[in-house]
């Protein structure tokens, strides 16, 4: 399977992450600021990074279900942190496995990442909501909305 087909199928399946875009836009993501892990030729894990206010956010963290609980998530975040050339890194999640990975890598929960980061995060959340509404992706809206209070913001400042 091509990387882009894998990414699109993972994004369709996993309701906690952003919805999939076209093949062209996902190819752009794969060629952009991201980390990918392979088992031989096969892509098995992916995470992307983007500037959010005064932080760089690690988001859309995906490990192929066949490869979960084998340390791929941890390796992915380790590599992302190494690759990021910025002193403040953020990752927002309500997934317990993801929270475990972040704790193990010395991320700390923050209640207030600062006005600028909070502002851009809020705008990104509204944009994501619109993109899910346009797709009539109510299952994803429900899945992400019902536990909104459970999201934690994990931060590393170095
Ligand atoms: C979250 C995700 C990336 C983790 O990847 P992974 O490869 O399984 O991660 P790792 O194997 O490195 O570590 C998982 C850790 O969580 C623990 N864990 C697994 N399920 C858990 C659960 N339900 N509750 C608490 N801890 C859990 C594992 O025991 C392991 O800890 P350990 O290293 O101390 O044994 C993966 O499950 C995934 O892709 N989920 C779907 C997409 C998603 O929700 N992404 C997060 C969006 S921010």
């Amino acid at each position: 399977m091509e990387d882009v087909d894998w990414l699109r199928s993972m994004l369709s399946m996993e309701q906690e992450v952003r919805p999939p875009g076209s093949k062209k836009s996902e190819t752009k993501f794969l060629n952009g600021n991201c980390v990918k892990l392979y088992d031989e030729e096969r892509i098995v894990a992916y995470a992307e990074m983007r500037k959010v206010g005064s932080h760089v956010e690690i988001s859309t963290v995906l490990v192929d279900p066949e490869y979960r609980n084998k340390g791929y998530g941890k390796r992915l975040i380790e590599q992302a942190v190494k690759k990021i050339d910025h002193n403040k890194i953020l990752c927002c999640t309500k997934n317990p496995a993801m929270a475990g990975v972040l704790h193990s890598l010395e991320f700390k929960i923050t209640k207030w990442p600062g006005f600028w980061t909070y502002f851009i995060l809020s705008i990104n959340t509204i944009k994501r909501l619109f993109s899910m509404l346009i797709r009539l992706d109510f299952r994803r809206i429900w899945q992400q909305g019902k536990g909104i209070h459970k999201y934690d913001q994990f931060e590393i400042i170095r």
Side-chain angles (χ1 to χ4, degrees), residues 10 14 16-17 61-63 67-75 92-93 95-98 100-101:
M10 288 291 297
E14 293 300 340
E16 292 292 343
V17 292
V61 184
L62 292 164
V63 173
Y67 288 79
R68 287 184 191 161
N69 293 317
K70 293 178 179 166
Y72 279 88
K74 188 169 179 178
R75 269 173 54 205
C92 308
T93 193
N95 180 309
M98 188 66 210
V101 166

Side-chain angles (χ1 to χ4, degrees), residues 58 76-84 89 107 156 158:
I58 302 173
L76 197 64
I77 302 301
E78 265 172 344
Q79 290 198 14
V81 168
K82 261 191 206 151
K83 198 172 167 184
I84 294 169
I89 304 175
F107 277 77
I156 281 190
R158 46 190 189 179

Side-chain angles (χ1 to χ4, degrees), residues 11 29 70 130-131:
L11 290 167
F29 275 110
K70 293 178 179 166
F130 270 107
S131 85

Side-chain angles (χ1 to χ4, degrees), residues 96-131:
M98 188 66 210
V101 166
L102 294 168
H103 277 303
S104 76
L105 293 172
E106 316 277 296
F107 277 77
K108 303 275 179 267
I109 292 179
T110 174
K111 295 284 171 216
W112 179 245
F115 172 77
W116 187 227
T117 300
Y118 187 79
F119 178 68
I120 304 290
L121 274 178
S122 307
I123 288 180
N124 289 346
T125 305
I126 293 166
K127 277 193 236 74
R128 186 193 285 199
L129 179 62
F130 270 107
S131 85

